[in-house]
Amino acid sequence: MAAVSPSSHLSKAVRQQYMSLPQGETCQVTYVWIDGTGEGLRSKTRTLYSEPKSIEDIPEWNFDGSSTYQAEGSNSDMYLIPVCMFKDPFTLDPNKLVFCEVLKYNRLPAETNHRLSCSKVMEAVKEHCIWFGMEQEYTLLGVDGHPFGWPTNGYPAPQGPYYCGVGANNAYGRDIVECHYKACLYAGVKIYGTNAEVMPSQWEFQVGPCEGIEMGDHLWVARYLLHRVCEDFGVVATLDPKPMVGNWCGAGCHTNVSTKEMREKGGLQYIEQAIEKLSKKHAEHIRVYDPHGGKDNIRRLTGLHETSSIEDFSAGVANRGASIRIPRQVGQEKRGYFEDRRPAANCDPYTVTRSIAATCLLDTDEGENSK
Ligand code: ADP
Ligand code: MN
Ligand code: MN
Ligand code: MN
């Protein structure tokens, strides 16, 4: 049996009695932010005495950065700056989830806050109406760190039946996927779809198309919802790009990209131009496609298991072994979007979208230089 958390065994009937109590005019607002790992999410909740109608109605707040790997020295108070608001699918209307930027004591962005540098680049390329769609792959684990549903000793049957698989022998943990999908829709996250992945207990959801800075905002909130849904079921979702060594697929965060020019008739030439620019900055992109300068992605981008080698840049129509893939339909219609297959599952969507926008549409990535 998979190891699920003790909390998930607490009585849901008792919980329901309290959760259905009326709350009058009050509103619970849960502030969500990225911690000092650049990967972990944290949240805390406060009461407002009227329902906020827009992000401007949410006050700034603070937290103890010495407990989130974020504080500098003895100045441990960090600022939480609300940036976007969603409905809370756990405590329901009128309660809110608010995604926040983190600022240090001097009101400069915390080390793992890349939203500001991303939004500067998005502002600079605004005229191109750049759209992104990101494919978030993840793996379900028991609280003991063993893949969810895998035999305690040994392995499941080799890969083959699991991708988009159905049936109890192929799909491990679909409850989580379905509940997460509903939670995203309720919250207002632009979830695009979902599918089972090649490795058993590995899944994917996509977010998009989102314009500019919205991509990072929505993907981070979708990740928060995933971790919270998993918590309710007593299991863990890891974004490790290669959770199992051996003949098992890793987890990426393919990033689909288009500009207004690429989406219009004859747009393929703009896609080709963008790919040409990306080919000259392969190493720079690999450095920002996981939170550890490429070290996490080395384990995944081997050239096997539908990945390209981390060393080389390549591109091709319908080629899932290339760094950049032009979807077959886009090749046929000669317009649309391209897919950067290199970002790791644990990438920061702000740095990924910032560097793609900067390389393809500006001559420098100022965000990268300032960090
Ligand atoms: P794949 O075939 O690579 O598995 P998916 O169906 O999983 O592709 O994901 C496709 C992604 O492409 C979605 O996130 C979607 O939002 C995004 N997308 C679709 N059209 C565009 C577009 N014109 N520009 C950018 N992203 C797009
Ligand atoms: Mn996909
Ligand atoms: Mn996939
Ligand atoms: Mn893909």
Side-chain angles (χ1 to χ4, degrees):
M1 257 308 280
V4 300
S5 71
S7 312
S8 66
H9 295 303
L10 295 174
S11 167
K12 301 304 163 191
V14 174
R15 179 180 195 272
Q16 192 47 44
Q17 177 182 340
Y18 295 99
M19 294 307 286
S20 54
L21 291 174
Q23 62 178 73
E25 295 299 301
T26 62
C27 183
Q28 292 169 295
V29 180
T30 297
Y31 289 59
V32 179
W33 71 95
I34 302 164
D35 73 14
T37 64
E39 212 180 323
L41 286 161
R42 309 280 176 130
S43 69
K44 62 174 188 164
T45 306
R46 71 190 287 183
T47 310
L48 296 188
Y49 288 90
S50 63
E51 184 184 346
K53 297 298 174 209
S54 74
I55 195 73
E56 285 75 37
D57 298 335
I58 312 276
E60 281 185 20
W61 204 11
N62 55 58
F63 68 95
D64 168 19
S66 69
S67 302
T68 60
Y69 319 113
Q70 273 165 314
E72 289 193 350
S74 53
N75 258 333
S76 72
D77 271 10
M78 311 285 282
Y79 295 100
L80 286 173
I81 313 299
V83 292
C84 50
M85 184 166 80
F86 296 85
K87 287 164 71 179
D88 185 338
F90 306 106
T91 58
L92 308 185
D93 256 347
N95 304 312
K96 309 294 182 208
L97 293 178
V98 169
F99 192 63
C100 299
E101 269 197 58
V102 177
L103 303 184
K104 297 185 282 197
Y105 64 94
N106 55 10
R107 295 190 74 86
L108 290 174
E111 299 313 312
T112 55
N113 173 7
H114 301 290
R115 189 179 188 276
L116 191 69
S117 67
C118 180
S119 63
K120 281 183 185 158
V121 169
M122 295 307 167
E123 194 54 37
V125 305
K126 206 171 169 183
E127 67 196 287
H128 298 283
C129 303
I130 189 162
W131 292 0
F132 298 98
M134 295 180 81
E135 305 169 45
Q136 178 68 64
E137 294 178 339
Y138 61 94
T139 308
L140 299 176
L141 306 175
V143 282
D144 57 359
H146 193 65
F148 178 79
W150 287 33
T152 312
N153 299 302
Y155 294 90
Q159 293 182 167
Y162 308 110
Y163 171 73
C164 300
V166 292
N169 48 346
N170 295 325
Y172 299 11
R174 192 189 300 278
D175 280 341
I176 288 156
V177 179
E178 293 187 339
C179 293
H180 173 253
Y181 203 147
K182 292 282 190 186
C184 285
L185 292 175
Y186 182 89
V189 168
K190 290 187 176 174
I191 187 164
Y192 169 91
T194 186
N195 61 267
E197 269 305 332
V198 177
M199 184 177 101
S201 71
Q202 199 165 75
W203 297 84
E204 168 178 317
F205 64 85
Q206 305 94 26
V207 175
C210 290
E211 188 165 328
I213 195 70
E214 192 183 48
M215 183 69 251
D217 293 346
H218 280 237
L219 185 59
W220 275 114
V221 174
R223 287 175 176 178
Y224 175 78
L225 295 176
L226 177 66
H227 293 309
R228 279 287 287 100
V229 168
C230 283
E231 181 186 322
D232 286 348
F233 283 102
V235 302
V236 173
T238 178
L239 305 188
D240 189 301
K242 190 79 176 185
M244 299 308 286
V245 291
N247 211 9
W248 304 102
C249 279
C253 195
H254 299 168
T255 302
N256 300 275
V257 187
S258 66
T259 60
K260 181 160 55 68
E261 297 78 16
M262 295 172 190
R263 293 188 293 269
E264 285 166 1
K265 191 162 185 289
L268 189 60
Q269 59 168 310
Y270 295 96
I271 293 176
E272 284 163 352
Q273 272 173 23
I275 292 173
E276 174 65 19
K277 289 188 170 175
L278 287 165
S279 75
K280 300 206 168 86
K281 296 214 165 157
H282 178 66
E284 287 93 320
H285 280 255
I286 289 295
R287 232 184 291 129
V288 298
Y289 281 3
D290 72 48
H292 299 106
K295 289 199 186 79
D296 296 337
N297 230 347
I298 287 178
R299 293 182 283 123
R300 164 180 168 257
L301 294 179
T302 56
L304 300 171
H305 303 114
E306 299 185 23
T307 70
S308 58
S309 155
I310 198 164
E311 304 293 340
D312 308 312
F313 182 90
S314 56
V317 175
N319 183 355
R320 288 173 190 264
S323 316
I324 307 281
R325 162 178 155 259
I326 298 175
R328 190 182 307 285
Q329 192 190 348
V330 175
Q332 282 163 359
E333 292 175 4
K334 304 211 181 313
R335 65 173 179 182
Y337 64 97
F338 68 89
E339 175 190 49
D340 190 338
R341 300 175 60 81
R342 296 170 294 174
N346 61 348
C347 69
D348 183 337
Y350 293 127
T351 60
V352 171
T353 58
R354 182 195 74 208
S355 59
I356 292 173
T359 297
C360 298
L361 300 170
L362 302 174
D363 288 325
T364 55
D365 182 352
E366 280 152 32
E368 194 185 11
N369 296 337
S370 73
K371 282 279 165 185

